Amino acid sequence: MQGHQGDPPEGSSKNSRRDRTPIETPNFFEVKLPDLREKLGWTQANVGQFFGVSKITAHRWEKHGDGETETRKAVLRLVAECVEASSAQDGEVGKLLLNMGVVRAVTAALHRSPRAREGALYEPLGWRGVFGARERLGWTQAEFARFLGATHSVPAVWESPESWENGNDPLGHALRAAILGLDLSSDPNLPDYREPKSGWDDLKTKGLQAFYDEVLELRIGSPR
């Protein structure tokens, strides 16, 4: 999924058009990925394994920046921060992250709860899961899309039962990790609950990267 699919409908106001523009983080794939991959001891095939894509796809990301969505960039920046903050050797961190995969790595970094270690992490979210996470936050589909670096119309696809028929999953691994992270961190039944009506209202205008950076900073600063 690319972050700039389509244009606002004709007749949209300038403010509406601005509101629907995805939040963008700086380029990462071509600039930072080769060095990060070397530090982790990963091959391009390992990058593909982590994200659940082919080696050829990972090669295109690094060579041309193809497929550089906001959610994937946010994950890689999160990984880079984890490497810098860890007292373990870089190669050890790389092996651990590779074994975890993107969904478990993100949820482990953002939220430490029993639910985050359950097998449910490996099951499709389904349209109810996507809708439930957004509804708990109290965000519109346009706000949800902008936070995740997608165009305003995409959440309607995610929340459509037809999109999940016959085993289809319209979410990539990085998007699924982000939505699971939001779901876990906004659940009042879990210990690391974040009050949606205060902190979330401010955070939704800053984007996914700000969410990852903020929670990771809290993790690093907290007693182990």
Side-chain angles (χ1 to χ4, degrees):
M1 185 197 71
Q2 295 291 336
H4 296 279
Q5 296 172 3
D7 296 315
E10 292 184 9
S12 298
S13 67
K14 290 184 178 179
N15 287 338
S16 175
R17 186 178 293 110
R18 183 175 65 249
D19 291 343
R20 290 174 173 178
T21 302
I23 293 170
E24 294 186 8
T25 55
N27 290 342
F28 197 98
F29 281 30
E30 291 179 274
V31 178
K32 298 289 187 180
L33 181 54
D35 289 341
L36 176 60
R37 182 169 61 76
E38 183 178 355
K39 184 175 287 189
L40 291 167
W42 287 3
T43 64
Q44 290 180 341
N46 291 148
V47 173
Q49 178 184 339
F50 181 73
F51 279 100
V53 300
S54 69
K55 175 184 175 180
I56 295 175
T57 297
H59 172 75
R60 287 201 302 266
W61 291 354
E62 190 170 317
K63 188 72 173 178
H64 307 293
D66 293 350
E68 189 176 78
T69 63
E70 297 307 306
T71 47
R72 289 172 185 156
K73 284 190 287 185
V75 167
L76 287 174
R77 286 171 59 121
L78 179 70
V79 166
E81 291 293 332
C82 287
V83 172
E84 292 299 322
S86 176
S87 59
Q89 295 295 320
D90 295 341
E92 294 176 5
V93 177
K95 289 179 182 177
L96 177 63
L97 290 170
L98 191 60
N99 288 334
M100 295 172 80
V102 65
V103 175
R104 182 173 288 278
V106 168
T107 52
L110 299 181
H111 195 99
R112 296 177 184 174
S113 77
R115 180 176 166 188
R117 293 189 294 270
E118 292 175 1
L121 289 179
Y122 302 105
E123 298 174 0
L125 273 171
W127 70 269
R128 289 185 178 87
V130 178
F131 173 77
R134 181 178 66 80
E135 184 180 43
R136 184 186 295 127
L137 293 167
W139 294 354
T140 65
Q141 288 183 339
E143 289 170 337
F144 197 49
R146 184 169 185 266
F147 181 88
L148 294 169
T151 48
H152 70 280
S153 59
V154 178
V157 175
W158 301 339
E159 295 178 13
S160 169
E162 290 76 17
S163 299
W164 298 83
E165 289 180 351
N166 301 318
N168 291 329
D169 187 340
L171 301 174
H173 288 227
L175 267 171
R176 183 163 167 269
I179 295 173
L180 273 169
L182 288 171
D183 186 39
L184 289 165
S185 299
S186 62
D187 189 339
N189 297 315
L190 294 174
D192 289 334
Y193 169 59
R194 178 193 179 105
E195 175 57 48
K197 297 303 179 184
S198 55
W200 285 111
D201 283 348
D202 176 61
L203 190 61
K204 74 180 176 183
T205 65
K206 298 178 181 177
L208 178 63
Q209 189 65 62
F211 173 48
Y212 283 3
D213 289 346
E214 176 184 296
V215 180
L216 184 60
E217 183 177 350
L218 293 174
R219 293 288 179 228
I220 293 173
S222 64
R224 295 294 179 182

